[in-house]
Coordinates of all heavy atoms in Angstrom, one line a residue:
M1 N 56.6 136.9 114.2 CA 57.8 137.2 114.7 C 58.7 136.0 114.3 O 58.2 134.8 114.7 CB 57.8 137.4 116.2 CG 59.1 137.5 116.9 SD 58.6 138.1 118.6 CE 60.1 137.8 119.4
A2 N 59.9 136.1 113.7 CA 60.7 134.9 113.5 C 61.5 134.4 114.7 O 61.8 135.1 115.7 CB 61.7 135.4 112.5
G3 N 61.7 133.0 114.7 CA 62.4 132.5 115.8 C 63.9 132.5 115.6 O 64.3 132.9 114.6
T4 N 64.6 132.3 116.7 CA 66.0 132.1 116.5 C 66.5 130.9 115.7 O 66.0 129.8 116.1 CB 66.7 132.2 117.8 OG1 66.3 133.3 118.5 CG2 68.2 132.2 117.8
T5 N 67.4 131.0 114.8 CA 67.8 129.8 114.2 C 69.4 129.6 114.4 O 70.1 130.6 115.0 CB 67.7 130.0 112.6 OG1 68.5 131.0 112.1 CG2 66.2 130.3 112.2
L6 N 70.0 128.5 114.0 CA 71.4 128.3 114.2 C 72.3 129.2 113.4 O 73.3 129.7 113.9 CB 71.8 126.9 113.7 CG 71.3 125.7 114.6 CD1 71.7 124.4 114.0 CD2 71.9 125.8 116.0
A7 N 71.7 129.7 112.3 CA 72.5 130.8 111.6 C 72.6 132.1 112.3 O 73.5 132.8 112.2 CB 71.6 131.0 110.2
D8 N 71.6 132.3 113.3 CA 71.7 133.5 114.2 C 72.8 133.3 115.3 O 73.4 134.3 115.7 CB 70.4 133.8 114.8 CG 69.3 134.1 113.8 OD1 69.7 134.7 112.7 OD2 68.2 133.7 114.1
I9 N 73.1 132.1 115.6 CA 74.1 131.9 116.7 C 75.4 131.5 116.2 O 76.4 131.9 116.9 CB 73.3 130.7 117.6 CG1 72.0 131.2 118.1 CG2 74.3 130.3 118.7 CD1 71.2 130.0 118.8
I10 N 75.5 130.6 115.3 CA 76.8 130.1 114.8 C 77.2 130.8 113.6 O 76.7 130.8 112.7 CB 76.7 128.5 114.7 CG1 76.3 127.9 116.0 CG2 78.0 128.0 114.1 CD1 76.1 126.3 115.8
V11 N 78.4 131.4 113.7 CA 79.1 132.0 112.5 C 80.1 130.9 112.0 O 81.1 130.7 112.7 CB 79.8 133.3 112.9 CG1 80.5 133.8 111.6 CG2 78.9 134.4 113.5
P12 N 79.8 130.2 110.9 CA 80.7 129.2 110.4 C 82.1 129.5 110.4 O 82.9 128.7 110.7 CB 80.0 128.7 109.0 CG 78.7 129.2 109.1 CD 78.6 130.5 110.1
E13 N 82.4 130.8 109.9 CA 83.9 131.0 109.8 C 84.6 131.1 111.1 O 85.8 130.8 111.2 CB 84.1 132.4 109.2 CG 83.6 132.5 107.8 CD 82.0 132.7 107.7 OE1 81.3 133.0 108.6 OE2 81.5 132.4 106.5
L14 N 83.9 131.3 112.2 CA 84.5 131.2 113.5 C 84.3 129.9 114.3 O 85.1 129.4 114.9 CB 83.8 132.3 114.5 CG 83.9 133.7 113.9 CD1 83.1 134.7 114.9 CD2 85.4 134.2 113.9
F15 N 83.1 129.3 114.0 CA 82.8 128.1 114.7 C 83.6 126.8 114.2 O 84.0 126.0 114.9 CB 81.3 127.8 114.7 CG 80.9 126.6 115.6 CD1 80.7 126.6 116.9 CD2 80.4 125.4 114.9 CE1 80.4 125.6 117.7 CE2 80.0 124.4 115.7 CZ 79.9 124.5 117.0
N16 N 83.6 126.6 112.9 CA 84.1 125.5 112.3 C 85.7 125.2 112.6 O 86.0 124.0 113.0 CB 83.9 125.4 110.7 CG 82.5 125.2 110.3 OD1 81.7 124.9 111.2 ND2 82.3 125.5 109.1
P17 N 86.5 126.2 112.6 CA 87.9 125.9 112.9 C 88.0 125.6 114.4 O 88.8 124.7 114.8 CB 88.6 127.3 112.7 CG 87.8 127.9 111.7 CD 86.4 127.5 112.0
Y18 N 87.1 126.1 115.3 CA 87.2 125.7 116.6 C 86.8 124.3 116.8 O 87.4 123.6 117.7 CB 86.2 126.6 117.5 CG 85.9 126.2 118.9 CD1 86.9 126.6 119.9 CD2 84.9 125.5 119.2 CE1 86.7 126.1 121.2 CE2 84.7 125.1 120.6 CZ 85.6 125.4 121.5 OH 85.4 125.0 122.8
V19 N 85.7 123.9 116.2 CA 85.3 122.5 116.4 C 86.4 121.6 115.9 O 86.7 120.7 116.5 CB 84.0 122.3 115.5 CG1 83.7 120.8 115.5 CG2 82.9 123.0 116.2
I20 N 87.0 121.8 114.7 CA 88.1 121.0 114.2 C 89.2 120.9 115.1 O 89.8 119.9 115.5 CB 88.6 121.5 112.8 CG1 87.4 121.3 111.8 CG2 89.8 120.9 112.3 CD1 87.6 122.0 110.5
N21 N 89.7 122.0 115.6 CA 90.8 122.1 116.6 C 90.4 121.3 118.0 O 91.3 120.7 118.4 CB 91.2 123.5 116.9 CG 91.9 124.2 115.7 OD1 92.5 123.5 114.9 ND2 91.8 125.5 115.7
R22 N 89.3 121.6 118.4 CA 88.9 120.9 119.7 C 88.8 119.3 119.5 O 89.1 118.6 120.3 CB 87.6 121.4 120.2 CG 87.7 122.8 120.8 CD 88.5 123.0 122.1 NE 87.8 122.4 123.2 CZ 88.4 122.1 124.3 NH1 89.6 122.2 124.4 NH2 87.6 121.6 125.2
T23 N 88.3 119.0 118.3 CA 88.2 117.5 117.9 C 89.6 116.9 117.9 O 89.8 115.8 118.5 CB 87.5 117.4 116.7 OG1 86.2 117.9 116.7 CG2 87.3 115.9 116.4
M24 N 90.5 117.6 117.3 CA 91.8 117.1 117.2 C 92.5 117.1 118.6 O 93.2 116.1 118.9 CB 92.7 117.9 116.2 CG 92.2 117.7 114.8 SD 93.4 118.4 113.6 CE 93.4 120.1 114.0
E25 N 92.3 118.1 119.5 CA 92.8 118.1 120.8 C 92.4 117.0 121.8 O 93.1 116.3 122.4 CB 92.4 119.5 121.4 CG 93.2 120.6 121.0 CD 92.7 121.9 121.7 OE1 92.0 121.8 122.7 OE2 93.0 123.0 121.1
K26 N 91.1 116.7 121.5 CA 90.4 115.7 122.5 C 90.5 114.1 121.9 O 90.2 113.3 122.6 CB 89.0 116.0 122.7 CG 88.8 117.4 123.3 CD 89.4 117.3 124.8 CE 89.2 118.6 125.5 NZ 89.9 118.6 126.8
S27 N 90.7 114.1 120.6 CA 90.7 112.6 120.1 C 91.9 111.9 120.4 O 93.1 112.2 120.3 CB 90.7 112.8 118.4 OG 90.9 111.5 117.9
A28 N 91.5 110.7 121.1 CA 92.7 109.8 121.5 C 93.5 109.3 120.2 O 94.7 109.1 120.3 CB 92.1 108.6 122.3
L29 N 92.7 109.1 119.1 CA 93.5 108.6 117.9 C 94.5 109.7 117.4 O 95.5 109.4 117.0 CB 92.5 108.3 116.9 CG 91.8 106.9 116.9 CD1 90.6 106.9 115.8 CD2 92.6 105.8 116.8
F30 N 94.0 111.0 117.4 CA 94.9 112.0 116.9 C 96.0 112.2 117.9 O 97.2 112.3 117.5 CB 94.1 113.3 116.8 CG 94.8 114.4 116.1 CD1 94.9 114.3 114.6 CD2 95.5 115.3 116.8 CE1 95.6 115.3 114.0 CE2 96.2 116.3 116.2 CZ 96.2 116.3 114.7
Q31 N 95.8 112.1 119.2 CA 96.8 112.3 120.1 C 97.8 111.1 120.2 O 99.1 111.3 120.3 CB 96.3 112.4 121.6 CG 95.5 113.6 121.8 CD 94.8 113.7 123.1 OE1 94.9 112.7 123.9 NE2 94.1 114.7 123.4
S32 N 97.5 110.0 119.7 CA 98.4 108.8 119.6 C 99.3 108.9 118.4 O 100.3 108.3 118.5 CB 97.6 107.6 119.6 OG 97.0 107.4 118.2
G33 N 99.1 109.7 117.5 CA 99.9 109.9 116.3 C 99.5 108.9 115.3 O 100.1 108.8 114.2
I34 N 98.5 108.1 115.5 CA 98.0 107.1 114.4 C 97.5 107.9 113.1 O 97.7 107.5 112.0 CB 96.9 106.2 114.9 CG1 97.6 105.2 116.0 CG2 96.2 105.4 113.8 CD1 96.5 104.4 116.7
I35 N 96.8 109.0 113.5 CA 96.2 109.9 112.3 C 96.8 111.2 112.5 O 97.1 111.6 113.5 CB 94.6 109.9 112.4 CG1 94.2 110.4 113.6 CG2 94.1 108.5 112.1 CD1 92.7 110.6 113.6
T36 N 96.8 111.8 111.3 CA 97.4 113.2 111.3 C 96.7 114.1 110.4 O 95.8 113.5 109.5 CB 98.9 113.4 111.0 OG1 99.0 112.9 109.7 CG2 99.8 112.7 112.0
T37 N 96.7 115.4 110.4 CA 96.1 116.1 109.3 C 96.9 116.1 108.0 O 98.0 115.9 108.1 CB 95.9 117.7 109.7 OG1 97.2 118.0 110.1 CG2 94.9 117.7 110.9
S38 N 96.2 116.3 106.9 CA 97.0 116.2 105.7 C 96.6 117.4 104.9 O 95.4 117.7 104.6 CB 96.6 115.0 104.8 OG 97.0 115.1 103.5
P39 N 97.6 118.3 104.4 CA 97.2 119.5 103.6 C 96.4 119.0 102.3 O 95.5 119.8 101.9 CB 98.5 120.0 103.2 CG 99.5 119.5 104.2 CD 99.0 118.1 104.7
E40 N 96.8 117.9 101.8 CA 96.1 117.5 100.5 C 94.6 117.1 100.8 O 93.7 117.4 100.1 CB 96.9 116.2 100.0 CG 96.0 115.6 98.7 CD 96.2 116.5 97.5 OE1 97.0 117.5 97.5 OE2 95.4 116.3 96.6
F41 N 94.3 116.4 101.9 CA 92.9 116.2 102.2 C 92.1 117.5 102.7 O 90.9 117.6 102.4 CB 92.9 115.0 103.3 CG 93.1 113.7 102.8 CD1 94.1 112.9 103.3 CD2 92.3 113.1 101.7 CE1 94.3 111.7 102.8 CE2 92.6 111.9 101.2 CZ 93.6 111.2 101.7
S42 N 92.8 118.2 103.4 CA 92.2 119.5 103.7 C 91.8 120.4 102.5 O 90.9 121.0 102.4 CB 93.1 120.4 104.7 OG 93.3 119.7 105.8
R43 N 92.7 120.3 101.4 CA 92.4 121.0 100.3 C 91.3 120.4 99.5 O 90.4 121.1 99.1 CB 93.7 121.0 99.3 CG 93.5 121.8 98.0 CD 94.6 121.6 97.0 NE 94.7 120.1 96.5 CZ 93.9 119.6 95.6 NH1 93.0 120.2 95.2 NH2 94.1 118.3 95.3
L44 N 91.2 119.1 99.4 CA 90.1 118.4 98.9 C 88.8 118.6 99.5 O 87.7 119.0 98.9 CB 90.2 116.9 98.8 CG 91.4 116.3 97.9 CD1 91.7 114.8 98.1 CD2 91.0 116.6 96.4
A45 N 88.8 118.7 100.9 CA 87.6 118.9 101.7 C 87.0 120.3 101.5 O 85.9 120.6 101.6 CB 87.8 118.6 103.0
S46 N 88.0 121.3 101.1 CA 87.5 122.7 101.0 C 87.1 123.1 99.5 O 86.6 124.1 99.3 CB 88.5 123.6 101.5 OG 89.6 123.5 100.7
E47 N 87.2 122.1 98.6 CA 86.9 122.4 97.3 C 85.3 122.4 97.1 O 84.6 121.8 97.9 CB 87.4 121.3 96.2 CG 88.9 121.4 96.1 CD 89.3 120.3 95.1 OE1 88.6 119.4 94.8 OE2 90.6 120.5 94.7
A48 N 84.8 123.0 96.0 CA 83.4 122.9 95.8 C 82.9 121.7 95.1 O 81.8 121.4 95.0 CB 83.1 124.1 94.8
A49 N 83.8 120.8 94.6 CA 83.5 119.6 93.9 C 82.7 118.7 95.0 O 83.0 118.6 96.2 CB 84.7 118.9 93.5
R50 N 81.8 118.0 94.4 CA 81.0 117.0 95.2 C 81.6 115.7 95.4 O 81.4 114.9 96.4 CB 79.6 116.9 94.6 CG 78.7 118.0 94.5 CD 78.1 118.4 95.8 NE 77.3 119.5 95.7 CZ 76.8 120.2 96.7 NH1 77.2 119.8 97.9 NH2 76.1 121.2 96.5
T51 N 82.4 115.3 94.4 CA 83.2 114.1 94.6 C 84.7 114.2 94.3 O 85.1 115.2 93.7 CB 82.7 113.0 93.5 OG1 83.0 113.5 92.2 CG2 81.2 112.7 93.7
H52 N 85.5 113.3 94.9 CA 86.9 113.3 94.8 C 87.5 111.9 94.5 O 87.0 110.8 94.9 CB 87.6 113.8 96.0 CG 87.0 115.1 96.6 ND1 87.2 116.3 96.1 CD2 86.1 115.3 97.5 CE1 86.6 117.2 96.7 NE2 85.8 116.7 97.6
N53 N 88.4 111.8 93.6 CA 89.1 110.5 93.3 C 90.4 110.4 94.1 O 91.2 111.3 94.1 CB 89.4 110.4 91.8 CG 88.2 110.4 91.0 OD1 87.2 109.8 91.2 ND2 88.4 111.1 89.8
L54 N 90.4 109.3 94.9 CA 91.5 109.1 95.9 C 92.2 107.8 95.5 O 91.7 106.8 95.6 CB 91.0 109.1 97.3 CG 90.2 110.3 97.7 CD1 89.6 109.9 99.1 CD2 91.2 111.5 97.8
P55 N 93.4 107.9 95.1 CA 94.3 106.7 94.7 C 94.7 105.8 96.0 O 94.8 106.5 97.0 CB 95.5 107.3 93.8 CG 95.6 108.5 94.4 CD 94.2 109.1 94.8
F56 N 94.8 104.6 95.7 CA 95.3 103.8 96.8 C 95.9 102.5 96.2 O 95.7 102.2 95.1 CB 94.2 103.4 97.8 CG 93.2 102.4 97.3 CD1 93.3 101.0 97.5 CD2 92.1 102.9 96.7 CE1 92.3 100.1 97.0 CE2 91.1 102.1 96.1 CZ 91.2 100.7 96.4
F57 N 96.8 101.8 96.9 CA 97.4 100.6 96.6 C 96.5 99.5 97.1 O 96.1 99.4 98.2 CB 98.8 100.4 97.0 CG 99.8 101.4 96.4 CD1 100.2 102.4 97.1 CD2 100.1 101.2 95.1 CE1 101.1 103.4 96.5 CE2 101.0 102.1 94.5 CZ 101.6 103.1 95.1
E58 N 96.2 98.3 96.2 CA 95.6 97.2 96.7 C 96.4 96.4 97.6 O 97.7 96.6 97.8 CB 95.4 96.3 95.4 CG 94.3 96.9 94.5 CD 92.9 96.8 94.8 OE1 92.6 96.2 96.0 OE2 92.1 97.5 94.1
D59 N 95.8 95.7 98.5 CA 96.5 94.8 99.5 C 97.4 93.9 98.9 O 97.1 93.4 97.8 CB 95.5 94.2 100.5 CG 94.8 95.1 101.3 OD1 95.2 96.2 101.5 OD2 93.7 94.6 101.8
L60 N 98.6 93.6 99.4 CA 99.5 92.6 98.9 C 98.8 91.3 99.3 O 98.2 91.0 100.3 CB 100.9 92.7 99.5 CG 101.6 93.9 99.3 CD1 102.8 94.0 100.0 CD2 101.8 94.2 97.8
T61 N 99.1 90.3 98.3 CA 98.4 88.9 98.6 C 99.6 88.0 98.4 O 100.8 88.2 97.9 CB 97.4 88.5 97.5 OG1 97.9 88.7 96.1 CG2 96.2 89.6 97.6
G62 N 99.3 86.7 98.8 CA 100.2 85.6 98.7 C 101.1 85.4 100.0 O 101.0 86.1 100.9
D63 N 102.0 84.4 99.9 CA 102.6 83.9 101.1 C 104.0 84.5 101.0 O 104.6 84.8 100.0 CB 102.7 82.5 101.3 CG 101.4 81.7 101.5 OD1 100.6 82.4 102.2 OD2 101.2 80.7 101.0
A64 N 104.7 84.8 102.2 CA 106.0 85.3 102.2 C 106.9 84.2 101.6 O 106.7 83.1 101.8 CB 106.5 85.6 103.6
Q65 N 108.1 84.6 100.9 CA 109.0 83.7 100.3 C 110.3 83.7 101.1 O 110.7 84.8 101.5 CB 109.1 84.0 98.9 CG 108.0 83.9 98.1 CD 108.3 84.2 96.5 OE1 109.2 83.7 96.0 NE2 107.4 85.0 95.9
N66 N 110.9 82.5 101.3 CA 112.2 82.5 101.9 C 113.3 82.9 100.6 O 113.1 82.5 99.6 CB 112.6 81.2 102.3 CG 111.8 80.8 103.5 OD1 111.5 81.7 104.4 ND2 111.3 79.4 103.6
I67 N 114.1 83.8 101.1 CA 115.2 84.2 100.1 C 116.3 83.3 100.4 O 117.0 83.3 101.3 CB 115.5 85.7 100.3 CG1 114.2 86.5 100.1 CG2 116.6 86.1 99.4 CD1 114.4 88.0 100.3
I68 N 116.6 82.5 99.3 CA 117.8 81.6 99.3 C 118.7 81.9 98.2 O 118.3 82.2 97.0 CB 117.2 80.1 99.2 CG1 116.3 79.8 100.3 CG2 118.5 79.1 99.1 CD1 115.5 78.5 100.1
E69 N 120.0 82.1 98.5 CA 121.0 82.6 97.6 C 121.0 81.6 96.4 O 121.0 80.3 96.5 CB 122.3 82.7 98.2 CG 123.5 83.1 97.4 CD 124.8 83.4 98.0 OE1 124.7 83.3 99.3 OE2 125.8 83.5 97.4
G70 N 121.0 82.2 95.2 CA 121.1 81.3 93.9 C 119.7 80.9 93.4 O 119.7 80.2 92.3
T71 N 118.7 81.3 94.1 CA 117.3 80.9 93.5 C 116.5 82.2 93.3 O 116.7 83.2 93.9 CB 116.6 80.1 94.6 OG1 116.3 80.9 95.7 CG2 117.2 78.7 94.9
S72 N 115.7 82.0 92.2 CA 114.8 83.2 91.9 C 113.6 83.2 92.7 O 113.2 82.3 93.3 CB 114.4 83.1 90.4 OG 115.6 83.1 89.6
I73 N 113.1 84.5 93.0 CA 111.9 84.6 93.8 C 110.8 85.0 92.8 O 111.1 85.5 91.7 CB 112.1 85.7 94.9 CG1 112.3 87.0 94.3 CG2 113.1 85.4 95.9 CD1 112.2 88.2 95.4
E74 N 109.4 84.6 93.2 CA 108.4 84.9 92.3 C 107.9 86.3 92.9 O 107.9 86.6 94.0 CB 107.4 83.9 92.5 CG 107.7 82.4 92.0 CD 106.7 81.5 92.2 OE1 105.5 81.8 92.6 OE2 107.1 80.3 92.3
F75 N 107.4 87.1 92.0 CA 106.8 88.4 92.4 C 105.6 88.7 91.5 O 105.4 88.1 90.4 CB 107.8 89.4 92.2 CG 108.5 89.7 90.8 CD1 107.8 90.5 90.0 CD2 109.5 89.0 90.3 CE1 108.2 90.7 88.6 CE2 110.0 89.1 89.1 CZ 109.3 90.0 88.2
Q76 N 104.8 89.6 92.1 CA 103.7 90.1 91.4 C 103.7 91.6 91.4 O 104.3 92.2 92.3 CB 102.3 89.6 92.1 CG 102.2 88.1 92.2 CD 100.9 87.7 93.0 OE1 100.4 88.6 93.8 NE2 100.6 86.5 93.0
K77 N 103.0 92.2 90.4 CA 102.9 93.7 90.4 C 102.2 94.1 91.5 O 101.2 93.5 92.0 CB 102.4 94.1 89.1 CG 103.1 93.8 87.8 CD 102.5 94.5 86.6 CE 103.5 94.3 85.4 NZ 102.9 95.0 84.3
I78 N 102.4 95.4 91.9 CA 101.6 96.1 92.9 C 100.5 96.8 92.0 O 100.8 97.5 91.2 CB 102.4 97.0 93.7 CG1 103.5 96.3 94.5 CG2 101.6 98.0 94.6 CD1 104.4 97.1 95.3
I79 N 99.3 96.5 92.6 CA 98.1 97.2 91.8 C 97.5 98.3 92.5 O 97.5 98.3 93.7 CB 97.1 96.0 91.6 CG1 97.6 94.8 90.8 CG2 95.9 96.6 90.9 CD1 96.8 93.7 90.8
S80 N 97.3 99.3 91.8 CA 96.6 100.5 92.4 C 95.1 100.6 91.9 O 94.8 100.0 90.9 CB 97.4 101.8 92.1 OG 97.4 102.0 90.7
N81 N 94.5 101.4 92.6 CA 93.0 101.6 92.3 C 92.6 103.0 92.7 O 93.4 103.8 93.3 CB 92.2 100.5 92.9 CG 90.9 100.2 92.1 OD1 90.3 100.9 91.4 ND2 90.5 98.9 92.2
K82 N 91.4 103.3 92.7 CA 91.0 104.6 93.2 C 89.5 104.5 94.0 O 88.7 103.6 93.6 CB 90.7 105.6 92.1 CG 89.6 105.4 91.2 CD 89.5 106.6 90.2 CE 88.2 106.3 89.3 NZ 88.0 107.4 88.4
D83 N 89.4 105.3 95.0 CA 88.2 105.4 95.7 C 87.5 106.7 95.2 O 88.3 107.6 94.9 CB 88.4 105.4 97.2 CG 88.5 104.1 97.9 OD1 88.0 103.1 97.2 OD2 89.1 103.9 98.9
V84 N 86.3 106.7 95.3 CA 85.6 108.0 95.0 C 84.9 108.4 96.2 O 84.1 107.6 96.8 CB 84.6 107.8 93.8 CG1 83.9 109.1 93.6 CG2 85.4 107.3 92.6
S85 N 85.2 109.5 96.8 CA 84.6 110.0 98.0 C 83.7 111.1 97.6 O 83.8 111.8 96.6 CB 85.6 110.3 99.1 OG 86.3 111.6 98.7
T86 N 82.8 111.5 98.6 CA 81.9 112.6 98.4 C 82.1 113.5 99.6 O 82.5 113.2 100.7 CB 80.5 112.3 98.3 OG1 79.7 113.3 98.1 CG2 80.0 111.5 99.5
T87 N 81.9 114.8 99.3 CA 82.0 115.8 100.4 C 80.6 116.1 100.9 O 79.7 116.4 100.0 CB 82.6 117.1 99.9 OG1 83.9 116.8 99.5 CG2 82.7 118.1 101.0
I88 N 80.3 115.8 102.1 CA 78.9 116.0 102.7 C 78.9 117.4 103.2 O 79.6 117.9 104.1 CB 78.6 115.0 103.8 CG1 78.8 113.6 103.2 CG2 77.3 115.3 104.4 CD1 78.6 112.5 104.2
M89 N 78.0 118.3 102.5 CA 77.9 119.6 102.8 C 76.6 119.8 103.8 O 75.6 120.3 103.4 CB 77.8 120.5 101.5 CG 78.7 120.2 100.5 SD 79.8 121.5 100.4 CE 80.7 121.0 99.0
R90 N 76.9 119.5 105.1 CA 75.8 119.8 106.0 C 76.2 120.8 107.1 O 77.2 120.9 107.5 CB 75.4 118.5 106.7 CG 74.9 117.5 105.7 CD 74.3 116.3 106.5 NE 73.0 116.7 107.0 CZ 72.2 115.9 107.6 NH1 72.6 114.7 107.9 NH2 71.1 116.3 108.1

């Protein structure tokens, strides 16, 4: 006789949206507005691909400069890079 498994109890199509919605409702970070959902990240997370390339800008470096009329300011280029993330399918 086979035992009961999680597949017998949890229907992912029904359970997953509930968990995501409840997590967002209860999360203090989400409620504060610091984080929000993004259609782009939702699309990436639902793809079948195992890895995703995510672009980002490198941190700015150097000291702040005083802007004085008649003098030139020094500047550096803004550098971008990419992170590679993986989708954990558990």
Side-chain angles (χ1 to χ4, degrees):
M1 178 169 164
T4 302
T5 66
L6 287 178
D8 297 327
I9 299 170
I10 298 173
V11 178
E13 293 81 13
L14 301 175
F15 185 74
N16 290 349
Y18 171 78
V19 170
I20 291 168
N21 289 338
R22 289 294 285 167
T23 300
M24 290 190 301
E25 286 174 13
K26 298 296 182 184
S27 169
L29 281 174
F30 191 80
Q31 290 175 359
S32 72
I34 294 172
I35 58 172
T36 63
T37 57
S38 164
E40 179 66 16
F41 286 121
S42 297
R43 184 187 63 74
L44 288 172
S46 65
E47 288 181 349
R50 298 279 184 198
T51 61
H52 309 283
N53 296 323
L54 303 169
F56 69 94
F57 292 107
E58 294 284 353
D59 292 339
L60 298 176
T61 59
D63 296 324
Q65 297 180 47
N66 292 326
I67 299 175
I68 301 171
E69 188 176 342
T71 62
S72 298
I73 60 170
E74 297 176 17
F75 61 91
Q76 298 174 349
K77 290 185 175 186
I78 296 176
I79 301 170
S80 64
N81 210 331
K82 73 174 180 178
D83 276 337
V84 178
S85 71
T86 184
T87 302
I88 300 172
M89 308 257 186
R90 293 190 79 179

